[in-house]
Amino acid sequence: MKTIIFSLLLSVLFASCSSFSGHLTRRYRSIEVIEDDSIIKERVDVHAYTIEKDGSYAPKTIFDLSPDAQAALISELAKKEVKTDAFISGLTRDFSSKLSDTTGIMDYSLLETRIVVSIRNKSHQPADRIAKINITLTIDTTKNNSITFLSCNKLTTEYQTLDLGKLHYSNTQSGELAGKSFIAANREGATTIKGEGAGEAKLSANRSFSEEILLKQRMVASNAFITQNTLSLYQESIGGIDLTGNILADITLEIRNSLLNTEKTYSFSELSTQDVSNIKVSEKLIVYPTVENLKVYITFEADFREVSKKHQTISESDDKVKLYHGEVKDANNVVILPIIKPKLWTLTFSELPLRIRNIHTNEEGDLLFHSHDDAKKMVAWLKSKYNEKMNEKIVVGSKYEISISEFEKSMNIECLTVAIYKN
């Protein structure tokens, strides 16, 4: 009889003194992992669009300096500038560190843009969330791989940090048993057994356990991976964070030779001189893409955490979870990246631009301008030089000649206008 009672009492004792297990710090109460592409497509939505990047250059002035630096600058300018106007101009000038373009080439083969990827949780249950997502942007390969991703310089995720307070959990257990024998036990496992005939025996055990967590959202982990024509954006959350939101990525793409065109533009100065041979002519090469827009296809794979039971509480430790994983490929989900093409200007009587020829090399091409102001100045100069008709070849500078077609010779000079070059 004493042996049976002893075994029973020990089982009660060890049950009450068993190791502690957490409740609030669990990831879930139970989980079932399911592969299902259709559920991911039904519950998760991903789209993208482009916006203009913020200006990275902000000019500095004297007002951005410290008082001591301002005083030193004023003192140095006063030594060099005698005239008041020059002194004031020096004080108010921007401290620009940007280098002027002196290479004679303007290259538009690199496209820098900011792409915004929008992630949306389409579930109507507050406890359901997107736990992981990997979004892949793939360049349209019909361009013969002539456009590639070069870099993803900045990757930010817009999430708000919220302090939701604290959760506290406490668990206390006790037990008592009367019998013919007496067993005393402590937490370290020592027991004492006493038997005294018909005397009563008593067992008592206590357990106390406390947990406390802060309910606070924080930034998710993000990274980017680039291959030749794909950009992958990966995000992984921690407990309680849904990945719904926007990802902002500043990307750089390179457009290579097969999709590039080159034009030579001209700029004329000293047009007020009486001797046309003194007019100065400078050339600049413009390298620009021939395509207008670029398609980028969007695919993604995600883990979606669906809470089937115990979704009433904010804490996820008691959730019964179905974790769905799948991939979504939708050929209609595309983002259009605008390709930057510079505006070039020409002089025309109708649709055909005037031509210009290098007298020394006999190289000939359309008379093009990168600046609208330069084109307008040239029109004004030609109208001042010719009253009615352009009836001769025009030599400009020391080696250039503007070619006039037979049709253009018959046109009134007032019909000469500046037009956008259709490149």
Side-chain angles (χ1 to χ4, degrees):
M1 181 66 179
K2 290 182 179 180
T3 303
I4 298 174
I5 295 175
F6 177 71
S7 300
L8 177 61
L9 293 177
L10 284 181
S11 64
V12 174
L13 175 66
F14 292 138
S16 61
C17 296
S18 59
S19 60
F20 300 137
S21 61
H23 286 258
L24 297 179
T25 52
R26 292 176 181 172
R27 300 181 190 276
Y28 47 78
R29 183 167 184 176
S30 66
I31 190 169
E32 179 183 4
V33 180
I34 305 170
E35 294 284 336
D36 195 329
D37 295 345
S38 61
I39 291 294
I40 298 300
K41 185 174 183 179
E42 178 184 336
R43 306 292 174 83
V44 182
D45 189 34
V46 175
H47 289 282
Y49 58 94
T50 59
I51 58 175
E52 186 176 352
K53 289 178 60 177
D54 296 334
S56 59
Y57 169 72
K60 301 295 184 181
T61 67
I62 189 174
F63 301 105
D64 296 302
L65 303 177
S66 66
D68 292 341
Q70 291 178 6
L73 177 61
I74 293 172
S75 176
E76 289 299 319
L77 281 176
K79 297 176 183 178
K80 298 178 180 180
E81 302 293 350
V82 179
K83 295 182 180 180
T84 304
D85 293 343
F87 177 73
I88 295 176
S89 177
L91 285 179
T92 57
R93 186 174 55 205
D94 294 342
F95 306 146
S96 175
S97 61
K98 297 182 71 176
L99 298 177
S100 60
D101 182 18
T102 59
T103 61
I105 298 177
M106 298 192 69
D107 190 356
Y108 290 86
S109 63
L110 293 182
L111 171 63
E112 296 183 352
T113 188
R114 174 168 294 172
I115 187 168
V116 181
V117 180
S118 179
I119 306 169
R120 186 165 67 95
N121 182 351
K122 297 194 289 185
S123 172
H124 296 289
Q125 292 294 333
D128 296 348
R129 63 180 176 88
I130 304 169
K132 293 181 183 179
I133 191 165
N134 185 49
I135 303 166
T136 302
L137 306 177
T138 305
I139 298 175
D140 185 2
T141 55
T142 59
K143 303 302 181 183
N144 299 321
N145 292 326
S146 294
I147 303 178
T148 59
F149 285 109
L150 281 187
S151 66
C152 180
N153 299 325
K154 181 180 179 183
L155 187 64
T156 56
T157 307
E158 293 184 346
Y159 281 97
Q160 187 177 14
T161 300
L162 299 176
D163 190 349
L164 303 178
K166 288 184 180 179
L167 284 184
H168 180 82
Y169 170 77
S170 179
N171 182 14
T172 302
Q173 295 181 358
S174 63
E176 185 175 308
L177 180 64
K180 296 298 183 178
S181 297
F182 178 73
I183 299 176
N186 56 31
R187 290 289 304 277
E188 286 72 23
T191 59
T192 302
I193 305 173
K194 296 181 180 180
E196 299 180 358
E200 291 188 353
K202 187 176 183 180
L203 170 67
S204 179
N206 293 291
R207 185 178 75 158
S208 180
F209 177 59
S210 179
E211 286 182 287
E212 187 176 277
I213 63 170
L214 285 173
L215 296 181
K216 190 171 184 179
Q217 291 185 346
R218 51 180 288 195
M219 187 69 73
V220 300
S222 303
N223 62 62
F225 177 76
I226 292 177
T227 59
Q228 183 176 7
N229 64 343
T230 62
L231 168 64
S232 296
L233 304 174
Y234 175 78
Q235 284 195 328
E236 181 177 353
S237 70
I238 61 172
I241 296 182
D242 186 11
L243 294 180
T244 295
N246 290 340
I247 305 174
L248 280 68
D250 291 346
I251 60 174
T252 302
L253 297 99
E254 180 186 26
I255 304 171
R256 292 199 291 270
N257 294 338
S258 61
L259 294 177
L260 294 176
N261 195 12
T262 302
E263 298 284 1
K264 184 179 290 187
T265 61
Y266 299 86
S267 177
F268 300 87
S269 59
E270 307 294 338
L271 290 173
S272 60
T273 181
Q274 296 298 320
D275 187 354
V276 294
S277 63
N278 292 330
I279 294 176
K280 295 180 180 179
V281 184
S282 59
E283 300 177 355
K284 188 179 291 291
L285 289 178
I286 310 295
V287 181
Y288 62 93
T290 57
V291 291
E292 293 187 357
N293 294 312
L294 178 65
K295 278 186 178 182
V296 176
Y297 298 98
I298 304 171
T299 61
F300 63 92
E301 57 178 328
D303 286 356
F304 185 80
R305 190 180 190 276
E306 180 184 88
V307 182
S308 56
K309 290 184 178 180
K310 303 293 183 179
H311 46 70
Q312 297 91 342
T313 58
I314 294 178
S315 173
E316 294 184 341
S317 60
D318 60 349
D319 292 350
K320 292 188 176 182
V321 175
K322 289 183 178 179
L323 187 64
Y324 291 100
H325 173 79
E327 186 176 8
V328 177
K329 296 180 178 180
D330 187 356
N332 296 320
N333 194 0
V334 299
V335 58
I336 304 298
L337 297 183
I339 303 296
I340 298 176
K341 297 179 66 175
K343 281 188 173 63
L344 302 182
W345 308 89
T346 186
L347 308 185
T348 178
F349 284 103
S350 55
E351 295 183 356
L352 298 175
L354 297 184
R355 304 278 290 176
I356 189 169
R357 184 175 71 91
N358 188 313
I359 299 173
H360 301 308
T361 64
N362 207 31
E363 180 184 1
E364 187 175 0
D366 293 334
L367 178 57
L368 303 179
F369 300 84
H370 182 254
S371 166
H372 184 264
D373 289 339
D374 288 344
K376 287 199 304 181
K377 290 176 183 178
M378 192 60 182
V379 167
W381 181 78
L382 288 171
K383 288 182 178 180
S384 67
K385 185 172 179 60
Y386 297 93
N387 296 327
E388 293 182 359
K389 297 180 180 180
M390 300 175 65
N391 52 13
E392 60 181 284
K393 292 183 178 180
I394 306 169
V395 177
V396 182
S398 59
K399 61 178 182 178
Y400 295 95
E401 178 184 81
I402 297 177
S403 305
I404 309 299
S405 68
E406 292 297 327
F407 170 75
E408 291 164 341
K409 289 178 182 178
S410 63
M411 298 293 293
N412 190 296
I413 189 64
E414 294 301 323
C415 297
L416 183 65
T417 59
V418 176
I420 296 178
Y421 181 62
K422 297 179 180 180
N423 48 346

